Amino acid sequence: MRRVVTIDGPAGSGKSTVARIVAERLGWRLLDTGAMYRSVALAALRAGIDLADEEALGTLASRITVSLPPGQVLLDDQDVTQAIRTVEVTRVTRFAAENPKVRQILAFWQRAFAAENDTITEGRDQGTVVFPDAPCKFFLTADPNERARRRHAEFLDRGESISFDEVLCDQQRRDAEDTERTLAPLRPAEDATLIDTTGRTIEEIATIVEAAARRCSGEASLPEPPQS
Ligand code: DC
């Protein structure tokens, strides 16, 4: 096992951006586990599979490959980096997240990835289920309105037309689904550092996580932080 830092938290908490920045600064790989769940959902939509059919979705997940070369998401070698971010895929990804077989397969891929690479991994269950022994864990939260504002801006940037109220409503539903499901629910690991990102800059949070990652994983063997 190489070095692993886990960052979990709800949608819009800032974890994806923080994880990307810290991975870049440390020269580690970023593991966006939400992208994996989204890719399974997209594969099912494209194959015309009923996402609620637990067995069919599990079988599909065992037949596809999802890989995460730097900056990209590949589904069976096809670039789906943008396609997995639509409102439609975002809404149906819960079927993949609730599916035991899918979770089992993706957790296996995630551990295999971390066995090969020093990894900053982000998701919902990374510190609790997939990497319970990681020495350095974070759980990011933020005020729901601020989280919805961030998500809404992301959708608009990508040219999707959706109202703020719809994003907030979808977010409330997803939060409930993520925290209330019995399988790998969204919750902080007991040994995770909790950070509320409301009203704070991404830069500030990234600096905290980077410093902790260096401390937890042996500073001497890591590149020096840039001098400001
Ligand atoms: O982080 P995201 O919005 O890209 O995640 C997409 C969905 O996948 C979200 O509904 C929660 C789910 N997910 C999960 O259940 N476990 C993970 N480790 C990552 C994401």
Side-chain angles (χ1 to χ4, degrees):
M1 177 77 85
R2 311 279 293 254
R3 293 171 290 199
V4 182
V5 170
T6 65
I7 308 181
D8 290 305
S13 59
K15 65 184 187 316
S16 305
T17 315
V18 167
R20 183 173 41 74
I21 293 172
V22 175
E24 269 166 23
R25 288 189 188 164
L26 296 178
W28 294 13
R29 292 286 299 280
L30 171 65
L31 180 57
D32 174 354
T33 61
M36 293 177 150
Y37 286 92
R38 287 168 179 272
S39 297
V40 172
L42 177 65
L45 285 177
R46 288 184 170 175
I49 281 173
D50 175 6
L51 280 111
D53 182 337
E54 216 173 277
E55 203 178 322
L57 190 62
T59 302
L60 175 80
S62 67
R63 293 192 176 144
I64 59 173
T65 58
V66 178
S67 51
L68 302 173
Q72 266 189 317
V73 182
L74 303 182
L75 168 58
D76 290 334
D77 294 329
Q78 195 189 351
D79 189 335
V80 293
T81 315
Q82 300 301 326
I84 57 168
R85 304 278 162 204
T86 62
V87 173
E88 185 192 13
V89 172
T90 303
R91 283 189 180 145
V92 299
T93 297
R94 72 182 174 89
F95 290 104
E98 287 164 4
N99 186 299
K101 181 90 186 285
V102 172
R103 292 210 81 90
Q104 189 192 11
I105 292 167
L106 296 195
F108 177 82
W109 290 351
Q110 290 155 15
R111 292 186 187 115
F113 183 101
E116 297 287 319
N117 306 284
D118 289 329
T119 300
I120 305 284
T121 181
E122 57 114 336
R124 305 293 189 284
D125 60 345
Q126 299 299 286
T128 48
V129 174
V130 183
F131 301 107
D133 298 329
C136 200
K137 302 177 184 175
F138 293 90
F139 192 89
L140 269 48
T141 55
D143 166 74
N145 276 301
E146 179 157 334
R147 288 166 45 213
R149 268 196 302 278
R150 293 172 184 164
R151 271 284 153 121
H152 186 225
E154 283 170 19
F155 281 128
L156 296 187
D157 276 352
R158 281 197 297 274
E160 293 224 38
S161 106
I162 183 166
S163 71
F164 172 79
D165 286 348
E166 263 184 288
V167 173
L168 184 62
C169 188
D170 280 358
Q171 176 181 285
Q172 279 162 347
R173 197 172 46 236
R174 284 217 292 149
D175 282 355
E177 286 159 3
D178 280 348
T179 50
E180 287 162 19
R181 70 169 173 247
T182 43
L183 205 57
L186 169 67
R187 63 175 174 81
E190 276 173 18
D191 51 349
T193 302
L194 305 189
I195 304 181
D196 185 343
T197 67
T198 312
R200 302 170 80 176
T201 64
I202 287 293
E203 177 59 35
E204 194 185 334
I205 309 298
T207 302
I208 295 170
V209 173
E210 181 193 352
R214 287 178 186 279
R215 268 200 309 280
C216 301
S217 42
E219 171 126 18
S221 56
L222 294 172
E224 284 298 310
Q227 304 296 313
S228 54

